[in-house]
Amino acid sequence: MFSAYHGYPYPALPWIKRFFLPLLMCASAAANAASRQLGEMPVPVLTGVQVQAGVTFDATARRYTYSYAVSNPGTNTGKIWNVALDMTSRAARLPFGSAGLRIEFMTGKFKSFDQEWADLHVQRMLPAGTVVIPFGQHIPQGWMGGMRQDGFASFSGDENSSLISPGSSLAGFELISEGVPTLRAMEIEPDWQFISDEEATEEEEQIFAEIEKSILFHTQTLGPSGVFPGTYDHWNQLRDDLNKAMQLGWLPDQAFAATLVNQLASARQAVAADGTLAKQRLQTLLTTLAQSTSSQRRPEIRDLVYWNVQAIIANTPDTPIPLDPFEPKVTLTPPAQTLPLGATYTLTATVINAATGKPIPDFSLSFVVIDGPHAGLEMRKVADAAGKASFSYTGTSLGRDRIWLGEDGEVRTEFGQAGVTWEGGPDLVIELFIPPVLKAKGGAPVTVTEITGHKGSTAAASSVTRYYLSLDELIDPRQDRPIAERRVGPLTPGQSSEKSRFQFTLPFDLTEGTYHLGACADADGAVAELDETNNCQVNQIVMALEPGPVENLRARAKEGKVALVWTPVEGAAGYNIYRGTTAGGPYQLIKAGHVTSYATYEDSGLTNGVTYYYVVRWLRERGLESPPSAEASATPVAGPLRR
C-alpha cells in the first residue's frame, strides 16, 4: 500500500522526516525553493523525465491495460522513488464499476480496489462531485502500489536499489481499467528527505515543504477516463485531447495533425444525422492514422486515437440517428467552495445539449443537500433561456455540505455534485457587563455599562443584546425573563460596541428573592456564529425586596363625600381603593384598577356624620397588588366644612 514515508531505512541517522505533498508551484517559486539547501541530503535535480505509455485492450474482459516506462536522464541528480497518475473525474456517474479490479500493493500481494478505497477514506478527502476512476494495478519488482487520498494511483519504490537512478529506465508500471484513453496528469517525485541531527524548526518545516513541492516533475500521459463510450461527451473529449496533444508537441507534423482534427470533426458532424456515415468517416480517420509514421506523431497518439475511435464505432448505431439528438450535459459553478458562516452560497447549473453545444431552456433540475450540516435542504428549479438555474442558501453551521444535482422521475438521474465547506464566521460575546450591586424593589432604575464584542473572523450583521433576570447563574434566553435590550450595529472582527450608563427599570412585579442579572449578545439568534454557546455573561446579583406601599395617603371630608390624595407611584398600572367603617379594617374594595394622572379619588354617596377609613394599594404588572398604604380617615358632614 502507498505510504508517504520511504519503505527503506537510513541507519544511524537521528532525525529523518519525509512529507509527500503533491502540490504545484509556479516556476519562479519552484526554482527558488530548489536552489536552497536544507539538512544533510542534497536537494536533487529532476528534469526532462520521459514517460512512454502504451494501451492494449482485452475484448473479453472489456478492459484496457495502460503500461508505462519511466526514463530518468543522466543529467539529473535525483533517483525517482514515486510515480503517480491522477485518476479523478468530475463525471456525474461512470459507465463501469470496480468489480474484479485488484491493486498489487506489494509484489504478489493484492487487495481489491474497493478495499483500498475504504481503507483510505478517499471519498471524505475528495471535493464533492469528484470520483475516482476504478483501476487495477501491477507493479515492477521492488515497488509498492496503491491509491493516494487525493485520488492518484501511486507507485512507490520500496527499496533503495529499486529506485530509478539517473541514466536508467524502468518499465512494468501498469493500470487496468474499463475507461477509454484520455490525457492525464502524472507526478514524478525524486528521493529526498530532510535529514538533521536535531528536531526541525518551524521555519525549516516550511522550507522543507516548499522544496518538496518544487522538485516534483509534472508531465502528461495516457490514462483511463470516465466518459460513456459513443456519447457526445466522448466525441468532445477526443477532440479536446487532440488539441491538447498538439500543444504538448505530440503531433509535430502540423499537416497530419490538421488532417486528424478535420476528419474527426467531419465524422462528428455526420453522427447528428446518420450513424453509418459517421462510422465510415471514422474508418477513413483510422486509415490516415495507420499510414502515419513515428516522425509525424508520438506512439501515444496512435493508442489515444485508435482505441477511442474503435469505442465510438462500437457504440454508434448503424441506423440513422434522429435529426434532433438530445444529450443533456450539466456544468456546476463553482464545483467546490469555502465560505464563512453567515455567507450565502450560490450554485449555478448550466445545461447544454452536448450534441449541439446549445443551452437547454426550461430544463427541470433538483438541487439537494445530501450530506453535511445543512443536509435536507432541497430546491427544484427550471433553467432559464441561457440554460442556467441557481440554488442558494446561507450557512448556519460549520462543516462540509455535499450538493446533489439531478433530474427527478421514476429513476433519479444524477448530473453532478458540488461541495461547500463552511468555516470561520462571526462570534459575538459580552466582553464587559458591569451593573451595580443591587438591593432594590420592583420598579427601581438600574444603570449598567456593557460592551458587546466580536471575536470571530468575518463581519457580523446588526444584532440585539438583551438583559435578563435569572434565578440561577446560567442565562437561558428561552426561559429567563428579558428586562431590557439595545440594538448593536454591524461589527467587524475585533470591533466592539460599548454602551455606558445604560438605564432601564426593574419589573414592577418583581417579588422578593435573589436574582442574577446577565446580558446576551445576539439574543435573537439573527447571526450565524462560530460558537452559539458563548453569547451570555452573568456577573451580578439583584436582591429584590417586596415593593413599597402607596405613601402619604390623605382623606378630606366633603358633604356626602371624601376626597383622597396620595403620592403617585412611578410605573403603577392603577390603584385599588379600599374602604371600611372601623379603624384598622376590615376594608372592602370600592374601586378596582383606578387610573389617575394626579393620584386622587373622590368617594361619593356617603352618609354624613359617619367616619370612613381608607387604604390604597397600587397595581403592578399582571394585576399584582402592593402592600396597603397607611390608613387615612374622614367624616362627611352637612353644610360648609371647616378648614
Side-chain angles (χ1 to χ4, degrees):
M1 174 186 256
F2 169 77
S3 171
Y5 289 79
H6 240 289
Y8 59 91
Y10 281 83
L13 293 177
W15 176 246
I16 301 176
K17 190 166 188 177
R18 166 177 286 284
F19 298 93
F20 189 80
L21 299 173
L23 302 174
L24 300 176
M25 294 183 67
C26 65
S28 59
N32 180 56
S35 65
R36 305 168 76 174
Q37 178 59 45
L38 182 69
E40 299 177 10
M41 188 174 182
V43 176
V45 174
L46 188 69
T47 60
V49 177
Q50 296 296 313
V51 178
Q52 184 172 341
V55 184
T56 58
F57 181 64
D58 182 339
T60 302
R62 304 202 60 78
R63 285 177 177 161
Y64 298 89
T65 296
Y66 296 82
S67 303
Y68 307 96
V70 180
S71 299
N72 188 357
T75 53
N76 286 334
T77 62
K79 297 180 179 181
I80 295 173
W81 88 277
N82 183 265
V83 177
L85 186 71
D86 183 4
M87 298 293 287
T88 62
S89 172
R90 294 292 300 178
R93 53 198 177 99
L94 297 174
F96 47 81
S98 57
L101 292 173
R102 300 192 306 162
I103 291 175
E104 188 178 11
F105 63 94
M106 293 183 68
T107 302
K109 296 183 179 180
F110 294 85
K111 66 161 57 175
S112 69
F113 172 87
D114 292 336
Q115 185 61 55
E116 179 80 338
W117 171 276
D119 289 345
L120 294 177
H121 306 287
V122 176
Q123 185 61 60
R124 293 191 303 186
M125 306 300 295
L126 295 176
T130 300
V131 296
V132 174
I133 306 298
F135 64 90
Q137 191 176 29
H138 292 296
I139 56 177
Q141 183 70 31
W143 282 64
M144 301 170 66
M147 188 191 318
R148 290 191 336 210
Q149 287 185 313
D150 59 0
F152 276 63
S154 176
F155 301 88
S156 304
D158 189 31
E159 299 176 0
N160 189 24
S161 59
S162 66
L163 306 190
I164 308 174
S165 300
S168 63
S169 301
L170 184 64
F173 303 97
E174 290 186 354
L175 295 177
I176 299 94
S177 174
E178 292 184 46
V180 295
T182 188
L183 286 176
R184 285 201 166 274
M186 177 174 278
E187 293 178 354
I188 300 175
E189 184 180 7
D191 174 37
W192 182 69
Q193 300 177 74
F194 176 28
I195 303 172
S196 175
D197 292 334
E198 299 178 353
E199 183 78 20
T201 65
E202 185 175 340
E203 181 182 4
E204 287 175 330
E205 294 273 6
Q206 182 178 356
I207 296 173
F208 175 80
E210 292 175 358
I211 294 175
E212 275 280 291
K213 289 185 286 186
S214 71
I215 61 179
L216 287 174
F217 179 81
H218 301 274
T219 189
Q220 293 280 323
T221 189
L222 297 182
S225 68
V227 297
F228 282 77
T231 61
Y232 286 100
D233 258 357
H234 188 189
W235 284 88
N236 294 343
Q237 176 178 280
L238 180 55
R239 175 200 63 199
D240 295 342
D241 280 345
L242 276 177
N243 289 327
K244 188 184 294 185
M246 292 168 64
Q247 297 173 8
L248 293 172
W250 287 17
L251 286 161
D253 186 330
Q254 295 184 3
F256 171 67
T259 300
L260 288 182
V261 170
N262 291 335
Q263 288 178 346
L264 180 66
S266 175
R268 189 188 187 285
Q269 185 178 21
V271 78
D274 190 337
T276 302
L277 178 60
K279 291 195 288 186
Q280 289 172 354
R281 293 179 177 179
L282 287 176
Q283 290 292 349
T284 301
L285 187 154
L286 290 178
T287 300
T288 300
L289 182 67
Q291 293 173 350
S292 63
T293 65
S294 59
S295 64
Q296 294 176 293
R297 57 165 175 77
R298 278 186 55 151
E300 286 86 348
I301 286 293
R302 184 268 175 195
D303 289 341
L304 173 68
V305 175
Y306 180 81
W307 292 117
N308 275 285
V309 168
Q310 291 287 13
I312 291 174
I313 290 174
N315 288 276
T316 299
D318 287 322
T319 53
I321 296 173
L323 292 178
D324 296 317
F326 186 70
E327 187 180 306
K329 180 180 180 180
V330 180
T331 303
L332 292 174
T333 307
Q337 193 170 14
T338 298
L339 292 173
L341 283 185
T344 298
Y345 167 68
T346 299
L347 178 64
T348 300
T350 303
V351 192
I352 66 168
N353 185 348
T356 63
K358 296 180 180 179
I360 304 176
D362 302 321
F363 193 84
S364 219
L365 292 168
S366 289
F367 298 84
V368 184
V369 182
I370 58 175
D371 187 38
H374 303 88
L377 291 178
E378 183 172 351
M379 186 176 292
R380 289 174 175 80
K381 288 293 191 74
V382 175
D384 60 17
K388 295 183 181 294
S390 295
F391 168 58
S392 299
Y393 67 97
T394 300
T396 58
S397 300
L398 293 173
R400 179 187 180 196
D401 286 331
R402 193 153 50 99
I403 300 96
W404 178 91
L405 176 72
E407 184 180 21
D408 280 336
E410 292 185 8
V411 178
R412 298 184 76 186
T413 302
E414 179 179 330
F415 291 125
Q417 292 186 15
V420 56
T421 300
W422 300 100
E423 63 182 27
D427 192 14
L428 298 177
V429 298
I430 300 298
E431 293 182 344
L432 181 69
F433 184 52
I434 308 178
V437 177
L438 296 174
K439 188 174 183 181
K441 61 184 179 181
V446 177
T447 302
V448 302
T449 295
E450 170 262 310
I451 298 177
T452 297
H454 182 6
K455 68 175 189 177
S457 57
T458 62
S462 297
S463 61
V464 170
T465 292
R466 187 169 292 134
Y467 310 113
Y468 294 87
L469 283 178
S470 173
L471 293 174
D472 55 37
E473 296 181 358
L474 297 176
I475 294 293
D476 185 349
R478 298 168 300 179
Q479 299 180 2
D480 293 327
R481 184 172 183 177
I483 54 176
E485 65 181 46
R486 73 177 184 93
R487 192 75 181 171
V488 177
L491 296 176
T492 57
Q495 190 180 13
S496 60
S497 169
E498 180 175 350
K499 189 70 174 179
S500 298
R501 301 194 61 76
F502 178 59
Q503 189 174 82
F504 55 88
T505 303
L506 290 176
F508 287 96
D509 62 348
L510 199 62
T511 57
E512 185 176 4
T514 300
Y515 300 87
H516 297 266
L517 183 60
C520 290
D522 188 31
D524 290 332
V527 179
E529 300 182 69
L530 288 172
D531 187 351
E532 299 284 3
T533 65
N534 64 348
N535 294 118
C536 301
Q537 184 184 116
V538 182
N539 62 355
Q540 291 293 340
I541 295 176
V542 177
M543 300 293 291
L545 302 180
E546 186 72 17
V550 170
E551 296 180 347
N552 300 319
L553 178 63
R554 289 169 292 168
R556 194 174 83 174
K558 295 182 179 182
E559 184 175 358
K561 301 177 182 179
V562 171
L564 301 176
V565 63
W566 59 88
T567 300
V569 177
E570 183 181 356
Y575 300 89
N576 285 346
I577 315 298
Y578 292 85
R579 182 184 68 200
T581 54
T582 304
Y587 308 100
Q588 291 183 334
L589 178 66
I590 60 171
K591 180 64 175 178
H594 175 58
V595 178
T596 170
S597 300
Y598 301 102
T600 61
Y601 179 74
E602 187 173 81
D603 186 18
S604 59
L606 301 178
T607 302
N608 293 332
V610 176
T611 300
Y612 294 93
Y613 302 88
Y614 297 88
V615 295
V616 176
R617 298 173 183 259
W618 63 271
L619 297 175
R620 297 174 284 169
E621 296 175 2
R622 298 196 290 272
L624 298 176
E625 286 186 315
S626 71
S629 66
E631 186 180 73
S633 64
T635 304
V637 295
L641 296 177
R642 296 180 181 178
R643 295 188 179 274

